[in-house]
Structure formats: C-alpha cells, structure tokens
Amino acid sequence: MTFINYASREINCKIVYYGPGLCGKTTNIQWIHEQANPEKRGKLVSLATETDRTLFFDFLPLDMGMVKGFKVRFHLYTVPGQVFYDASRKLILRGCDGVIFVADSQRPRLEANIESIANLATNLKDNGFDIRTIPYVLQLNKRDMPTAAPLGEMEDLLRFRNEPMIEAVASRGQGVIETLKACARQILMELQRS
C-alpha cells in the first residue's frame, strides 16, 4: 500500500518483481541500479546464496522525481523464485502497489511461468489483492535465447487481462526501463484516482 508522508511531502510505492527461479528478476533490478543517477538511487540490498540465487529479496529505493509537489520514491523488490520459498514470496507481496511478472521465454520454462503466475494469484489473494485489478506488467525476458517460444504462444499462455506486455533481454537492459515505467504509470494513475 502506498505510504504518503504529508509532513515530508513524500510518496513511497512498492513494486515487486515476481517470477520463476532464474527468470531475470534480480538482473532487472541490478540493471536499473547501474543505470540510475547515483543521487536518485539508494543502496541495492541483495541476499544471495553461494550460487548467486536470490535467497530472500533484492531491494532498491529509487527516487522518481516530483508529482504534484510530492517526492515519489519507488521501492523495488524481488522474490526468491524457488518453490520452497513461498512464505517469503507471500511476505514480500504484503503492501505492494504493483507487480511485474518476469517470464522466462525459454520453451522448457513455460510450465514454470504458468505455475508461478498461479502462485502469484494465490499469494496476492492471501494479502487482500486481486491479480485482475492490481497494477501489473508482464515482461517476457530472455527473448534472445535460441529456445525462446514465439511471442504469440507466450501471450496466449501468460497474458490474461490485456496488461502491458514487454519483450526484454534484461542482461542487456532491453525492455527493463520500459517495464518499470509501465508499472509506475499504472500506480500513479491509481494514486490520482484515490
């Protein structure tokens, strides 16, 4: 849930990157951190295992400028993709303002994407959110891989509400900022409505 501090005139929003293991959630946040103006970004906090898999979450506060006299900050989180960290994923979703689902475009990972979206829907519901109404973006990552499924097939399998769908190669930064902007835009529109 968006936190508005009227005294400091600051709006804080939380975006969660969700998806199956090794789909590129952390790569998205690392690329944003590398490209962001050092004066506009906070410290990237990342807890990883010895094999560089995300153990708990990555966190990046990002100053996005002013809106109607309020300083807007987005706090970017990722969830661990491995199945056995479900309790952590549910906890990280608490109070989120928007979700970016990072899908792995490789054909062998299609089933993992479907399972992860189902898990996202369940965990959002447990936190009082509806996947059909929360600000949401579908990012199709790893489009450069030789085993990438055709775009139309991925859309048929993963897109369910006409949400923004963005092709990406997060390791090269392609589609990363566009994805973040698409989610931020939806969140800011929700703020203006409320």
Side-chain angles (χ1 to χ4, degrees), residues 112-174:
N113 291 324
I114 294 168
E115 290 173 5
S116 187
I117 286 178
N119 176 258
L120 169 62
T122 299
N123 284 339
L124 282 172
K125 186 176 180 183
D126 289 348
N127 277 293
F129 299 111
D130 187 338
I131 195 170
R132 295 167 297 182
T133 58
I134 192 166
Y136 178 79
V137 176
L138 172 62
Q139 182 190 74
L140 306 179
N141 193 25
K142 301 187 180 182
R143 296 304 300 161
D144 60 332
M145 300 301 285
T147 58
L151 187 64
E153 182 180 348
M154 293 201 70
E155 182 175 8
D156 289 345
L157 286 172
L158 305 176
R159 196 177 195 194
F160 58 92
R161 59 175 245 198
N162 202 29
E163 68 273 26
M165 185 178 77
I166 297 170
E167 294 183 81
V169 181
S171 61
R172 295 198 301 246
Q174 293 176 3

